[in-house]
Amino acid sequence: MSYVDEIYAKVVEQNPGEPEFHQAVKEVLDSLRLVIDANEDRYRKEGILERFTEPERVVSFRVPWVDDKGNVQVNKGYRVQFNSAIGPYKGGLRFHPSVNQSILKFLGFEQVLKNSLTGLPMGGGKGGSNFDPKGKSDREVMSFCQSFMTELYRHIGKDADVPAGDIGVGGREIGYLFGQYKRITKLYEGVLTGKGLTFGGSLARTQATGYGLVYILDEMLKANGKELAGKTVLVSGSGNVAIYACEKAQQLGAKVVSMSDSNGYIYDPDGIQLDVVKDIKEVRRGRIKEYVDAVPTAKYTEGKGVWTIPADIALPCATQNELNLEDAKTLLANGVFAVAEGANMPSTREATDLFVEKKILFMPGKAANAGGVATSGLEQSQNSLRLSWTFEEVDQRLQNIMKDIFAKADDAAKRYGVPGNYVAGANIAGFEKVVDAMLAQGIV
Ligand code: NDP
């Protein structure tokens, strides 16, 4: 049995009831076979894959808090500290009823490779709770966040573990968490990222994931003799990533013709008017269908179907598994030649396999949306320096990081004889750096 298959069987056996974690390990290890097979003897002797697939630490704790009726509620809290070979753990906190240890281990595992790709000194972690902030009052959210941090503070610190936001954890939650950390520890330090601009947040963090996605897309196109200007682009979603992907694509001369939300999608053949979308989504918190009220020449369609619109490039920026095998076939039949993932895991495994097999230009989320965590890393740097960089300074660093990620994925794919396979390239490049650091640091 190959080392990869042996380890995968062990992970399944030793982590019962954790299907998401099993799936992530399988997908990553499968794409790393080339590098693992080439180094099998050394990696086996050093137990590299055993260590790579076992989190350094998983903390699980009780989070009691009082609701507005005066009743005590209890949620589960977690922090998965997966790998600190190349830096303090870094990764978001997710507050959502679906949160469990399997999902957080899957996300933490992926985060190790994503953070490595950014070139910044960040290990991988993830955390959160099955608490649902939807429908809760500000006071209830604060009560929950304070209780959550009253345990979490023991495990984190600016040089140990620096959490950020994720689903259900935005500026409000980060503010409450930061306030409680400071109060308990007496430390005013960059222990969390995604903070407000008045207390250590970074300019350009809001734009970072969407802008970064388009920067790396642009690099991938140029490296393959193509350009973004004049191309027709599909964007799905209309949240943070989608809006700023659309903005940057337009600035670079592309025509974005679609956006969506979980109810339906809009098609504007004249090009999306982003000020209208921002007003609906960022100001009024409305639905994407309201776009056609302002732009009657555009069309709104209820339900799925954004991937049926003919275009050159697709940027899935909504959610996981939003682009399946059928969608992938439709995109290819309609002439799409490049796909870059703004969301985490938006393409199903089958869709990804088809893109790779057909050799279109496909940049996986791990590389394509890394601009978000990279800019969180830049927020950490600014906090340590006690300085605030301008928007332009942060944006320039982000551009350089995305160029560098492309170069690393491209180079690794070429070195292992699969040029243009950026799925393998991104995983290999991220993995090599982490393994090198693990080997150098001895048996830990
Ligand atoms: P938002 O919550 O701001 O936006 C998500 C968008 O996707 C909304 O328009 C939402 O519509 C839509 N959506 C959600 N579910 C579906 C669905 N089933 N079908 C169609 N549309 C749907 O999130 P973000 O933009 O921040 O994140 C989007 C993705 O990018 C996520 O996968 C996230 O993990 C990933 N990501 C985000 C980063 C960041 O910095 N923000 C960094 C790296 C990755 P609705 O309003 O109807 O819910």
Side-chain angles (χ1 to χ4, degrees), residues 114 166 205 209 237-242 260-263 281 287 317-319 342-344 369 372:
K114 186 188 291 192
D166 188 62
R205 175 61 188 90
T209 308
S238 48
N240 173 258
V241 180
S260 67
D261 61 21
S262 47
N263 295 110
K281 288 288 171 180
R287 309 304 302 162
C317 298
T319 188
N344 279 319
N369 68 35

Side-chain angles (χ1 to χ4, degrees), residues 34 359 410-421 424 428:
L34 291 165
K359 293 192 167 24
D410 187 47
D411 167 69
K414 285 178 180 149
R415 273 192 289 119
Y416 281 91
V418 285
N421 181 343
I428 293 170

Side-chain angles (χ1 to χ4, degrees), residues 10 43 94 101 107 112 135 189 206-207 217 294 318-319 333 347 353 361-362 382 394 401 412 414 417 439:
K10 224 182 238 178
Y43 286 179
R94 178 175 290 191
Q101 187 164 298
L107 291 165
V112 174
E189 61 177 27
T206 306
Q207 293 82 357
L217 167 71
T319 188
S347 312
D353 288 349
L361 303 178
F362 177 73
Q382 293 169 79
V394 179
I401 289 170
K414 285 178 180 149
L439 289 170

Side-chain angles (χ1 to χ4, degrees), residues 154-215:
R154 302 168 202 282
H155 312 288
I156 62 175
K158 74 175 170 58
D159 297 315
D161 184 355
V162 182
D166 188 62
I167 293 173
V169 180
R172 175 183 62 170
E173 290 76 15
I174 293 289
Y176 293 149
L177 291 163
F178 183 75
Q180 183 72 351
Y181 180 84
K182 183 173 60 108
R183 182 189 194 194
I184 299 174
T185 62
K186 295 191 296 181
L187 298 171
Y188 201 110
E189 61 177 27
V191 68
L192 291 158
T193 58
K195 299 185 291 298
L197 291 177
T198 51
F199 56 100
S202 175
L203 287 163
R205 175 61 188 90
T206 306
Q207 293 82 357
T209 308
Y211 277 21
L213 170 68
V214 176
Y215 292 145

Side-chain angles (χ1 to χ4, degrees), residues 213-215 217-218 221 226-235 244-258 268-274 311-315 337-338:
L213 170 68
V214 176
Y215 292 145
L217 167 71
D218 192 41
L221 295 180
K226 302 192 187 308
E227 62 168 11
L228 186 53
K231 298 296 181 301
T232 301
V233 177
L234 301 180
V235 168
Y244 291 97
C246 180
E247 183 164 285
K248 186 51 72 180
Q250 290 179 337
Q251 286 172 5
L252 297 187
K255 182 156 93 169
V256 178
V257 295
S258 73
D268 187 341
D270 300 324
I272 295 287
Q273 295 181 30
L274 200 58
D312 303 308
I313 295 167
L315 302 178
F337 66 83

